[in-house]
């Protein structure tokens, strides 16, 4: 299992690691700022996942396909439905 590090976020910790993908991450899209930010990741393991950046908590998987997921992007209504934001 590989982790996703997001060192550029302005958090009290110098780095957050999100563990859950079983392969390399090809894309990351962040929505929001600081500890309330959400990150979506695309991976070669065929999944797109959502994370709470402030805690590294895995919120859920959005897609799970046989091929790689190469890109992710946010749509405001999808974020609100999926995460209750």
């Amino acid at each position: 299992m590989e982790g996703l590090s997001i060192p550029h976020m302005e958090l009290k910790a110098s780095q957050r690691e999100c563990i859950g993908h079983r392969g390399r991450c090809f894309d990351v899209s962040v929505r929001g700022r600081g500890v309330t930010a959400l990150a979506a990741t695309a991976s070669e393991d065929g999944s797109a996942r959502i994370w709470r950046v402030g805690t590294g908590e895995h919120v859920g998987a959005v897609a799970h396909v046989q091929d790689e997921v190469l890109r992710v992007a946010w749509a405001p209504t999808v974020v609100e439905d999926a995460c209750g934001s």
Side-chain angles (χ1 to χ4, degrees):
M1 220 180 273
E2 294 184 18
L4 165 70
S5 297
I6 307 175
H8 69 281
M9 299 300 294
E10 294 179 21
L11 302 171
K12 290 184 181 181
S14 62
Q15 182 179 27
R16 293 287 183 219
E17 186 174 52
C18 304
I19 299 173
H21 283 297
R22 297 182 187 272
R24 295 175 296 168
C25 287
F26 295 128
D27 194 28
V28 177
S29 180
V30 178
R31 177 182 184 258
R33 302 183 117 194
V35 296
T36 61
L38 295 173
T41 56
S43 174
E44 74 178 342
D45 68 6
S47 69
R49 296 177 182 266
I50 299 174
W51 314 85
R52 293 194 193 286
V53 174
T55 63
E57 173 191 5
H58 177 244
V59 176
V62 178
H64 196 69
V65 297
Q66 288 188 335
D67 294 325
E68 300 99 4
V69 177
L70 299 175
R71 300 283 179 258
V72 288
W74 291 102
T77 56
V78 173
V79 173
E80 291 170 7
D81 291 345
C83 302
S85 301

